[in-house]
Amino acid sequence: MPTAPAYQQYRLIHDIYVLLDDGDRRVLNTCNLTTSQYAVLRLLNLEKGRRLTSLSDQLLCARSTITRIVDQLEDTGLVLRVNDPEDRRAQLAVLTQKGATMLDSARATHCASVTSRMDNLTEGEQEQLILLLGKLRNGLRAQLDSNAIPDEAGC
Amino acid sequence: MPTAPAYQQYRLIHDIYVLLDDGDRRVLNTCNLTTSQYAVLRLLNLEKGRRLTSLSDQLLCARSTITRIVDQLEDTGLVLRVNDPEDRRAQLAVLTQKGATMLDSARATHCASVTSRMDNLTEGEQEQLILLLGKLRNGLRAQLDSNAIPDEAGC
DNA sequence: GAAGATTGATTGTTCAATCTTC
DNA sequence: GAAGATTGAACAATCAATCTTC
């Protein structure tokens, strides 16, 4: 039986991600950042802070994972915790100046690395790919929002 | 400054992977498999075994990671370790009949789930996407083989 | 009771060191 | 000395339980 097209897409995306992630780890390591720390930093900016819950929702990881990553970023002075004035239960993760500088630098380094690694498509192909991937992502996000991940029969 | 197309592709693939992986974990959990265990099983078949080194190379993870995943799969009776007749240093991971049955079942479950989740592209779009992703993956693989991951200036 | 966040315990992954065989 | 594999220690991520505030 032929492999379903959706599954072929899935495998390709999976393989590509693994290849990219492997490179990311090496590159970000030169900035003394883990990929997780970078992912959190990327969601912050200098203007206003962001709730930890918002971060874990966006990154689809456990609350406690964010707590610990923010701990690390606070230890290295890249981020500060601030009480949310609108809700005394909540904490905001805020970029420090040092964090903003680090983020800019890491982003430039990472972006250059990614660009050099993903250079084998023509401009037209890249545009097409971005369009198709965007549609795919939006579909997946919509499913997540509608909480419609189907429970299969299981094994 | 506008975001480089390569980086847009990167972000989309990253986001899509995170969304898909989150669903994978839930689905495979119904088969009592972790995504890592499934990834290893997928690389095996009933006919002949496969060296642990080959598995870690393919999955881009540490040797010791494979050792431990194979330990787990052996504990649950899905896989057996066999001495490699061609090299007395090497071990082969071999699917058991139970493992083959489990793999078939998990694959069917997972494939159905993936297909239902990635259903928002037309057939034509899917074909295009597969072509483009395939080209991208081959480029990345080629870089890996030539060990040409560039060392950036760092931060 | 629910949401935001944290902590301790468990599991998963990697790193460095070790052993055997090439 | 290098390659295949394993082990113990360190790090990373999750889960369940807990605390505070809504």
Side-chain angles (χ1 to χ4, degrees):
Chain A
M1 112 181 175
T3 306
Y7 205 63
Q8 287 182 55
Q9 290 171 52
Y10 170 88
R11 294 260 43 106
L12 284 165
I13 289 169
H14 200 279
D15 290 354
I16 290 169
Y17 174 85
V18 170
L19 287 162
L20 287 174
D21 192 56
D22 188 57
D24 291 349
R25 283 179 46 202
R26 306 187 205 200
V27 171
L28 290 171
N29 190 46
T30 70
C31 307
N32 292 314
L33 288 176
T34 66
T35 53
S36 302
Q37 290 168 351
Y38 180 63
V40 168
L41 285 181
R42 274 193 64 253
L43 297 179
L44 303 177
N45 60 55
L46 264 179
E47 278 86 49
K48 56 176 168 41
R50 189 159 177 173
R51 286 193 192 172
L52 303 203
T53 305
S54 163
L55 293 171
S56 62
D57 285 346
Q58 181 86 33
L59 297 175
L60 295 182
C61 68
R63 307 262 193 257
S64 53
T65 304
I66 293 295
T67 295
R68 268 137 189 167
I69 294 173
V70 172
D71 283 347
Q72 298 166 352
L73 294 172
E74 216 172 9
D75 286 345
T76 50
L78 303 178
V79 156
L80 268 181
R81 274 185 175 85
V82 173
N83 292 324
D84 187 337
E86 297 178 2
D87 189 333
R88 267 186 294 176
R89 290 173 301 179
Q91 296 272 299
L92 300 177
V94 181
L95 263 192
T96 62
Q97 184 56 56
K98 181 180 174 188
T101 305
M102 170 62 95
L103 175 56
D104 283 347
S105 171
R107 201 200 304 267
T109 302
H110 183 235
C111 183
S113 166
V114 164
T115 304
S116 87
R117 281 183 277 158
M118 300 175 74
D119 66 348
N120 66 322
L121 295 188
T122 68
E123 279 194 23
E125 288 172 334
Q126 291 194 349
E127 286 173 21
Q128 271 196 340
L129 184 54
I130 289 171
L131 236 61
L132 293 169
L133 288 174
K135 188 171 175 185
L136 182 57
R137 183 198 54 189
N138 293 341
L140 289 170
R141 279 228 185 112
Q143 282 187 355
L144 192 68
D145 294 338
S146 66
N147 209 358
I149 292 187
D151 274 40
E152 239 65 34
C155 300
Chain B
M1 114 183 174
T3 306
Y7 205 64
Q8 288 182 52
Q9 289 170 55
Y10 170 86
R11 293 261 42 108
L12 285 165
I13 289 169
H14 200 279
D15 290 353
I16 290 169
Y17 175 84
V18 170
L19 287 162
L20 288 173
D21 193 55
D22 187 59
D24 290 349
R25 282 180 45 203
R26 307 187 205 200
V27 172
L28 290 171
N29 189 45
T30 69
C31 306
N32 292 315
L33 288 176
T34 66
T35 52
S36 301
Q37 289 169 352
Y38 180 63
V40 168
L41 285 180
R42 275 194 62 255
L43 298 179
L44 303 177
N45 60 54
L46 264 180
E47 278 86 49
K48 57 176 167 39
R50 189 159 176 173
R51 287 194 191 170
L52 303 203
T53 305
S54 162
L55 294 171
S56 62
D57 286 346
Q58 181 87 31
L59 298 175
L60 295 183
C61 69
R63 304 279 147 97
S64 52
T65 305
I66 294 295
T67 294
R68 270 141 187 161
I69 295 173
V70 172
D71 283 347
Q72 298 166 350
L73 294 172
E74 215 171 10
D75 286 346
T76 50
L78 303 177
V79 157
L80 268 182
R81 275 185 174 84
V82 173
N83 293 324
D84 186 338
E86 297 178 1
D87 188 334
R88 267 185 295 175
R89 292 172 302 180
Q91 297 271 300
L92 300 177
V94 181
L95 263 191
T96 62
Q97 184 57 54
K98 181 180 174 189
T101 305
M102 170 63 94
L103 175 57
D104 282 346
S105 170
R107 199 198 307 265
T109 301
H110 183 236
C111 184
S113 166
V114 164
T115 304
S116 86
R117 281 183 276 158
M118 302 176 73
D119 67 347
N120 65 323
L121 296 187
T122 68
E123 280 195 23
E125 288 173 333
Q126 292 194 350
E127 286 174 19
Q128 270 195 340
L129 185 54
I130 289 171
L131 236 59
L132 293 169
L133 288 174
K135 190 173 174 185
L136 182 57
R137 182 198 55 188
N138 293 340
L140 289 169
R141 281 229 184 113
Q143 281 187 355
L144 192 69
D145 293 340
S146 67
N147 209 359
I149 293 188
D151 274 41
E152 240 63 36
C155 300

